[in-house]
Amino acid sequence: MAIETLEAYVLVEQTVKSAVVYARGDSGFVRREYGAGRAVRLPIENLTLDLDRAYEGLG
C-alpha cells in the first residue's frame, strides 16, 4: 500500500468463481467483490477480467 504507483490489486479465489479488487481511491483503497457471471473492471488501462472465462476448464 505504500507503493505510490500501485493503482489496484486483485485477489482471485482458486476454487470458487470469485475475486476481490482493491482499487486506490482518494482516501485509500476501495474494496469491491465480484462473483460468477461478472466482469471485473480494473482501473488500469481499462482492463476487464471475465471471471467465467478465467475459470474455464477448471473443476
Side-chain angles (χ1 to χ4, degrees), residues 1 39 43 54 59:
M1 302 248 190

Side-chain angles (χ1 to χ4, degrees), residues 40-54:
V40 179
R41 294 179 189 259
L42 301 171
I44 306 161
E45 300 288 328
N46 296 317
L47 293 176
T48 301
L49 170 64
D50 182 323
L51 284 178
D52 287 336
R53 191 164 182 199

Side-chain angles (χ1 to χ4, degrees), residues 6 12 44:
L6 180 66
V12 180
I44 306 161

Side-chain angles (χ1 to χ4, degrees), residues 17-47:
K17 291 180 184 178
S18 176
V20 177
V21 176
Y22 291 89
R24 188 180 297 276
D26 293 334
S27 60
F29 281 87
V30 177
R31 183 180 194 269
R32 291 191 177 93
E33 295 183 30
Y34 299 86
R38 297 283 311 273
V40 179
R41 294 179 189 259
L42 301 171
I44 306 161
E45 300 288 328
N46 296 317
L47 293 176

